[in-house]
Amino acid sequence: MKIGVFALQGAFIEHERALLSLGAEVKEIRLFSDFSDDLDGVILPGGESTVQGKLLREGGFLEPLKKRIEEGLPVYGTCAGMILLANKLSNDGNVYLGTLDATVRRNAYGRQLGSFAEELDFKGVGKFPAVFIRAPFVESAGKNVEILAEHKGKIVAVRQGHMLATAFHPELTGDLRIHAYFLDMIRK
Ligand code: GLN
């Protein structure tokens, strides 16, 4: 299985390591020519969504990526990646890919509680150590969106068909189960 990891900005190397540990093949996507037809799925890493959105636009990725996701390309967005996938941001006028039927709040935990770790129940996976870094959460999700994890009543992980998004960073924990979940999603 070959997974494209967007390597424009942010925490992409950690995703690559997790995928390699699970036996997947990894392709870094920096240039549009890296975004080849042979990818079985793509990962949008955490980082800064405004910067990533700008780089995706400048790199000519935005429309083609949106189209391929709409056509069924499996995608996993962590944190900033979740923001890029959302079709609405409650505290920001931008929409980037807009393929995920969810309203997402950026920096939803405020500055003070910007970063923290907590164990959550992740549906189909079990207890999972979640690392949040200036994280968003999902304020509301469409009917087709399955809620996979919550933190204090806020939605922090969702799946809509072939799209997976988490507000937290499994790639920073060494726990590979959510990456394994994504690879399973692709297989099925
Ligand atoms: N706060 C960042 C944003 O709004 C996301 C943080 C992250 O990806 N860890 O894009």
Side-chain angles (χ1 to χ4, degrees), residues 46-50 78-80 83 106-107 133-136 169:
E48 191 53 44
S49 57
T50 45
T78 49
C79 203
I83 294 166
R106 289 185 62 200
N107 301 320
I133 303 168
R134 303 198 66 216
H169 291 267

Side-chain angles (χ1 to χ4, degrees), residues 14-25:
E14 293 83 353
H15 279 293
E16 293 172 15
R17 286 196 193 119
L19 293 167
L20 290 171
S21 303
L22 290 166
E25 210 185 314

Side-chain angles (χ1 to χ4, degrees), residues 129-150:
V131 174
F132 292 83
I133 303 168
R134 303 198 66 216
F137 59 60
V138 176
E139 278 190 351
S140 64
K143 291 199 285 302
N144 298 331
V145 177
E146 185 184 8
I147 295 166
L148 297 176
E150 293 185 59

